[in-house]
Each structure stands twice: as C-alpha cells, then as structure tokens.
Amino acid sequence: MDLGSLTSKLNELTFSLLLAGYKTCPPNWSKKGKRTLNHSLWFITKGTGEIVINGKKNDLSPGKLIVFTPGMICDKKTSPSNPLEFYFIRFTHAAAFEKKEQWHFILPQEISFPLHGVYTINNSSGVFLLLDEINSLSKRRGATIAFKQKILFQELLLTLIQDFHVQTISKDTRQVIEETIEYIGHHYHKVINVTDLSKMAGLSKSHYSRLFKKFTGYSPIEYLTHLRIDRAKELLAHSEIRIKEVSQNVGYEDELYFSRIFKKIVGVSPTQFSDEQKLAGQ
C-alpha cells in the first residue's frame, strides 16, 4: 500500500454519511452472493466469522476492518457459537479540491474510493471510540450533528492511515523520518540535499527516499520544494518585500528559477500571485 498516495487521494474527497449503526448478528446469520451497491465499512468488535469477496476468503475477528465498494460480490457468515458484532457506516463521496489556483470537482460515479477489502487494525480502541461517537450522533438530527459526523468520519480515516503507518514503518524509522521532516521545516531556506538527510536518518539514500515518500507522499526534494513555495506564498500575501528577497528568503538564490518553480506549482507567477492577494485585501 502506497500510504502517501492513499492519504493524498483521501484528502481530495468530501463525504456524506448515509447510515451508521451497530449490528449484533444472530447465530445463524449469513448472506450469500450479495452484490454491494454502496460504499460502506464494517469494523468488527466481537465474535468470529468469514467473508468471501470476489472469491477471496477472509476470516473475521475483532479488529478487522472491511471496506465495501459497489460491485463487490460478497458471501458473509458468522460463527454460530461466537456471533459477529460490528459497527457499520454507509457513505457516499465526491472529489472537491483546489490545485494551482483552480477548483476541481469529480462526481461520485467518476471516482473510486482508494480503500477496499479487509484490513487488520492495531489501534482498535481509537477506531472504536470514533465509531461509537458517530453511532451515537446518528440517533440525532440537525446540520450541526451532520457536520460533526463528517468531521469524525474524516478523523476515523486519519486514524486508519496512522494505523497503516505504524504497521508498515517501525517506530524507530518513523522517528528518524519525522526528525528529518522537522529539520526541513526549520532549515528550508538553507541548502538541503537528500544525501545529508539520509545520513541524518542513518539510512542509505535510496532507502531513505523510499521511506520518506511512503510516509509523506512526496520525495524529500518535492517536500522541500512545496514547503518553500508555501512559505513564499505567505511572504507574497502578507509583506511588501520584492520577489528577489522572497526568493532568497525561502532558499533560492536564482530569482528566475524560483519564479519557474513557483508558477509550476501554484499555476501563476509570483508577481501575479502577489498582485491578486493585494487586490483581494488579504
């Protein structure tokens, strides 16, 4: 699983929760040959059972997360002596995100959800608490309640991503990657290269780069570049200093090179961006 790519895709989505609840299965419960119509997820809290998704069998037990997507063919059944209990959420989603000063919208039928199938979750208690609160809110109505449910659902997705990180990257490795990220955040205006960052992390250059991208979704240099441009946007929006000074402040001695990078990422030149921000009075 490419966690950086997963996080980026989820970050572009907006959600609507259609149904949320908690199910306790009777001992003889089973569903065979059902085609999934909606996006939904289950989180098993008690009991055992099994699910066959598109011909692939998976055992179910507490801590298992199942993400259903439309079109899946599923056989589900519970253990007669130890029936399943699980939280469930049915939801729909669309994409709505800003990129290069332009908003993009993608309808639900035109975009797939980046998670599907069965996952093992280590941080069951954190997931349980969020699902329990979403379930409690489902018994109430109102715009404020719906808004809070959306926030909790996004927090749930973030908790799942963090759990996947813990499973795929060791604690020591996560710590050294985070230390280099913190270093970049404090020294982005200086000369930084991947060789020095990998030495700081005590890893080979190639291994460090792979882990960094898995952790953040960016290569180390892409991360540094985007961070510099973010800081440049702040300076252009809230100060009167010249483009050359902005360039030097964020680590680029060559003003023309800075301008090319800025336009590539933001979609407009630094001068145009600055003029637009001043015109907006921000």
Side-chain angles (χ1 to χ4, degrees), residues 64-227:
K64 293 290 186 180
L65 172 76
I66 308 99
V67 182
F68 299 94
T69 57
M72 280 182 171
I73 304 295
C74 301
D75 294 343
K76 315 159 193 169
K77 69 177 182 179
T78 188
S79 166
S81 59
N82 191 17
L84 289 168
E85 295 185 26
F86 54 86
Y87 285 100
F88 62 87
I89 296 177
R90 187 180 299 169
F91 62 93
T92 185
H93 67 285
F97 58 94
E98 183 272 337
K99 189 174 183 180
K100 293 187 177 181
E101 302 284 295
Q102 295 288 327
W103 273 94
H104 302 264
F105 302 95
I106 305 175
L107 297 173
Q109 61 268 29
E110 298 173 352
I111 187 168
S112 60
F113 191 65
L115 289 171
H116 54 86
V118 181
Y119 302 88
T120 299
I121 304 301
N122 290 341
N123 181 21
S124 293
S125 59
V127 171
F128 178 93
L129 290 172
L130 288 164
L131 285 166
D132 193 55
E133 190 167 0
I134 291 171
N135 182 39
S136 296
L137 289 172
S138 69
K139 298 171 176 60
R140 300 169 61 187
R141 303 294 300 170
T144 302
I145 298 300
F147 191 25
K148 188 171 183 180
Q149 272 193 317
K150 283 184 183 180
I151 293 171
L152 288 170
F153 186 68
Q154 288 184 306
E155 189 174 347
L156 172 65
L157 294 175
L158 177 60
T159 300
L160 296 177
I161 292 168
Q162 291 170 334
D163 196 89
F164 297 151
H165 272 297
V166 169
Q167 293 182 44
T168 56
I169 303 176
S170 70
K171 183 178 179 181
D172 290 342
T173 302
R174 289 199 312 276
Q175 184 174 338
V176 296
I177 295 295
E178 286 174 348
E179 286 172 357
T180 61
I181 289 172
E182 186 173 356
Y183 177 85
I184 293 170
H186 286 97
H187 300 87
Y188 63 87
H189 54 288
K190 298 181 179 179
V191 176
I192 297 177
N193 57 60
V194 181
T195 300
D196 291 339
L197 292 171
S198 62
K199 286 180 180 177
M200 190 184 305
L203 301 168
S204 71
K205 185 176 176 180
S206 58
H207 187 45
Y208 170 77
S209 296
R210 283 196 301 273
L211 288 175
F212 191 98
K213 185 158 189 178
K214 179 181 283 190
F215 198 81
T216 66
Y218 296 98
S219 72
I221 297 305
E222 286 172 339
Y223 184 92
L224 171 62
T225 301
H226 279 80
L227 184 63

